[in-house]
Amino acid sequence: MNLIYQNKFFVLTAMILSLFSCKNDKKSADSSDVALTENVKVEWSEEELLDSIQFQTFNYFWEGAEPNSGLARERLHMDDVYPTSPKNTVTTGGSGFGLMAILVGVERGWISREEALKRYTRIVDFLEKADRFHGAWSHWIDGETGKVYPFGKKDNGGDLVETAFLVQGLLTVAEYFKNGNEQERQLASKINQLWQEVEWDWYTKNGEDVLYWHWSPEYGWEMDFPVGGYNECLIMYVLAAASPTHSISKEVYEKGWARNGEIVSDESYYDEDLVLDYYQHSDAKIGPLFWAHYSYLGLNPKGLSDQYADYWELTQNHAKIHYKYAIDNPKKIKGYGDSLWGLTSSYSLKGYAGHRPGLDLGVVSPTAALSSFPYTPKESMKMLANIYKNHDSLIGKYGPYDAFSFEHNWYTPRYLAIDQGPIPVMIENYRTGMFWDLFMKNKDVQNGLDKLGFIHKNKK
């Protein structure tokens, strides 16, 4: 770590510690009477705010990682209560996000390139030995053994969507290191081998023109979830087409994902075009905001289009609609407005729930607005500044807690990897475009986009 970055690191750490020192005592995660008070304002610049939240959320995947595998824990609960899965459960998709978040730590000088390389090597060595199902990893993995930890009774095999999120991160890391020293090139080569071993075409269930989400050696295709758009899964179809060893045809994308063109929408919401159809799985008019994040951590929507959509218009409008919905606030939810907005799937009043306009429980998930920085920089900055300057009881060691509600006087001092991960990555895309540059340079990805008929104006 060079001296300039080292000084910045210590200043940043001191700022964060000073933030925590003025916090109120908190009650348990299940308490319904937590006081969400407005605390003394802290005068930070926008750059300091961005540095702080990136550092904290990066650290979820660095210091907070599962120690044996190096992968991302599915959840970290600051009350140390884990009612649904063991603490050592790692998440495949969240780990893909975390792989990218670690690069934020390198580029911002919080860890060295050598430290990152060592961690990545441990992760890749673990993934090579972990359970795989026709090349795909399971949703959850026991971080101590590498064995599948069932996500549900029949969900104990390959999860192609989670695998796609993991591979997106792996390919980005490979691009970062592929021209480095011998150890770095070896890491990139091992990642490339894992990438080539994923049998995307096998998940078409005997050659159907659609990709299936799950397969289990015990239950076969009984989960029966063919993946059609629009949702968070575009990256799966792009990678499936991009595979140099197990590629799908363009027809699988057109008939399965795009539903023979039915994916296109001519409707609008809050005067913003929807572009694609969000209706398939819900009566709500718009989806939760994570749909605008997960596939686009590496896949650059700027200048990206195909016969169905302009993806920058799609993702930017998605965030704008959530922002306008909060300002309109049709349900008169306490706190909603231009500095408090964004609904997505997260922890909720009773367990876990999907939140979106039309399915609004009054629960705000900070990741929704904060991971939308590339789309709505001014609006996202208002949300960031409001939380850090006015509501520091909502912030813990690894950044903003997963969810809260002023309406119900509730919050939870708990984190989810899939919510923390997009924050540092998408903020970095807003600040430097680093992950979009890295991922879009991958030749296989470029070939896959070409195969599916995408125009990508930022092609390297």
Side-chain angles (χ1 to χ4, degrees):
M1 188 183 299
N2 67 44
L3 184 59
I4 293 175
Y5 278 130
Q6 189 176 44
N7 288 337
K8 286 184 177 181
F9 176 86
F10 286 126
V11 169
L12 179 59
T13 303
M15 288 165 49
I16 293 170
L17 288 174
S18 69
L19 169 69
F20 295 154
S21 67
C22 66
K23 285 190 172 187
N24 299 327
D25 290 337
K26 301 177 185 66
K27 300 185 180 181
S28 72
D30 297 321
S31 174
S32 61
D33 59 349
V34 178
L36 299 178
T37 58
E38 188 165 311
N39 299 321
V40 177
K41 288 189 177 182
V42 180
E43 293 305 322
W44 288 1
S45 70
E46 291 186 355
E47 289 299 301
E48 288 171 336
L49 286 166
L50 292 172
D51 286 343
S52 296
I53 192 170
Q54 280 192 288
F55 173 75
Q56 290 175 305
T57 47
F58 140 79
N59 208 29
Y60 180 100
F61 301 95
W62 186 250
E63 180 185 299
E66 195 283 317
N68 178 62
S69 64
L71 292 166
R73 288 183 168 112
E74 163 71 10
R75 60 192 91 238
L76 272 174
H77 293 174
M78 307 315 286
D79 56 7
D80 209 32
V81 176
Y82 292 88
T84 56
S85 63
K87 186 176 182 179
N88 66 352
T89 304
V90 298
T91 172
T92 304
S95 290
F97 306 161
L99 289 168
M100 301 169 87
I102 289 171
L103 287 182
V104 175
V106 177
E107 287 297 298
R108 301 242 159 232
W110 302 324
I111 57 173
S112 68
R113 186 180 177 103
E114 292 73 26
E115 287 175 308
L117 176 64
K118 185 177 180 181
R119 174 68 63 84
Y120 286 135
T121 301
R122 189 200 317 174
I123 287 170
V124 169
D125 288 348
F126 179 88
L127 289 172
E128 286 177 336
K129 299 173 183 177
D131 285 347
R132 281 186 280 171
F133 306 87
H134 290 272
W137 291 271
S138 54
H139 188 140
W140 281 350
I141 304 172
D142 186 320
E144 296 178 358
T145 67
K147 299 298 182 182
V148 58
Y149 187 89
F151 189 69
K153 180 182 177 181
K154 295 183 179 181
D155 195 352
N156 63 350
D159 184 313
L160 200 65
V161 175
E162 294 288 310
T163 293
F165 297 147
L166 176 61
V167 169
Q168 181 179 215
L170 286 169
L171 292 180
T172 304
V173 170
E175 287 297 318
Y176 190 84
F177 285 106
K178 69 178 184 180
N179 295 319
N181 61 36
E182 183 178 350
Q183 287 181 309
E184 293 173 347
R185 293 195 303 272
Q186 184 179 16
L187 172 68
S189 177
K190 293 175 79 170
I191 288 174
N192 194 52
Q193 183 65 34
L194 290 174
W195 155 234
Q196 292 186 13
E197 289 172 355
V198 180
E199 298 176 28
W200 308 90
D201 55 345
W202 193 83
Y203 279 80
T204 58
K205 187 183 174 183
N206 302 318
E208 294 183 21
D209 285 327
V210 65
L211 287 171
Y212 279 77
W213 196 309
H214 315 91
W215 179 82
S216 160
E218 183 176 0
Y219 297 102
W221 302 102
E222 288 184 35
M223 291 286 289
D224 194 29
F225 199 142
V227 183
Y230 180 68
N231 50 45
E232 74 273 28
C233 304
L234 175 62
I235 190 67
M236 178 180 68
Y237 275 89
V238 170
L239 290 172
S243 172
T245 51
H246 297 281
S247 183
I248 60 168
S249 67
K250 186 178 181 182
E251 287 71 28
V252 176
Y253 175 73
E254 293 176 334
K255 296 178 181 179
W257 172 255
R259 309 190 330 262
N260 291 310
E262 291 181 8
I263 193 174
V264 176
S265 173
D266 59 2
E267 295 192 51
S268 61
Y269 194 26
Y270 286 102
D271 297 321
E272 303 289 349
D273 290 339
L274 293 178
V275 183
L276 294 180
D277 173 31
Y278 293 82
Y279 289 121
Q280 189 184 17
H281 304 295
S282 169
D283 292 333
K285 207 166 187 178
I286 194 76
L289 258 176
F290 78 89
W291 289 9
H293 305 146
Y294 289 5
S295 282
Y296 307 102
L297 300 185
L299 187 65
N300 187 356
K302 284 187 177 180
L304 186 70
S305 62
D306 65 1
Q307 61 184 304
Y308 308 111
D310 176 316
Y311 288 88
W312 183 249
E313 181 186 17
L314 170 73
T315 52
Q316 190 175 49
N317 286 3
H318 194 168
K320 286 180 178 179
I321 288 167
H322 274 250
Y323 176 73
K324 290 182 176 182
Y325 170 83
I327 293 175
D328 181 38
N329 195 8
K331 297 182 72 174
K332 308 304 178 187
I333 302 294
K334 183 179 179 181
Y336 281 17
D338 69 348
S339 300
L340 194 73
W341 63 280
L343 305 176
T344 195
S345 298
S346 70
Y347 280 138
S348 194
L349 303 170
K350 296 180 180 180
Y352 185 89
H355 312 106
R356 64 182 89 176
L359 294 172
D360 183 2
L361 302 178
V363 174
V364 174
S365 313
T367 185
L370 300 178
S371 299
S372 297
F373 253 97
Y375 313 132
T376 50
K378 292 180 180 179
E379 297 87 347
S380 296
M381 182 58 73
K382 286 181 179 179
M383 174 72 167
L384 176 60
N386 182 26
I387 295 176
Y388 273 73
K389 294 181 180 182
N390 300 328
H391 303 289
D392 65 19
S393 63
L394 301 174
I395 303 167
K397 184 176 184 179
Y398 301 118
Y401 293 128
D402 193 61
F404 63 89
S405 173
F406 290 148
E407 177 73 14
H408 301 286
N409 198 32
W410 170 90
Y411 84 123
T412 176
R414 296 178 173 183
Y415 296 102
L416 289 170
I418 55 173
D419 288 341
Q420 297 309 102
I423 296 173
V425 176
M426 290 300 272
I427 288 177
E428 194 61 36
N429 278 331
Y430 160 65
R431 298 179 86 175
T432 67
M434 178 175 74
F435 296 104
W436 288 342
D437 289 343
L438 286 169
F439 184 77
M440 297 297 282
K441 284 195 299 186
N442 182 277
K443 296 301 182 184
D444 289 337
V445 170
Q446 291 182 8
N447 290 338
L449 289 169
D450 289 343
K451 180 177 183 178
L452 297 182
F454 279 85
I455 297 170
H456 38 123
K457 295 179 181 178
N458 292 309
K459 184 175 180 179
K460 298 295 181 180

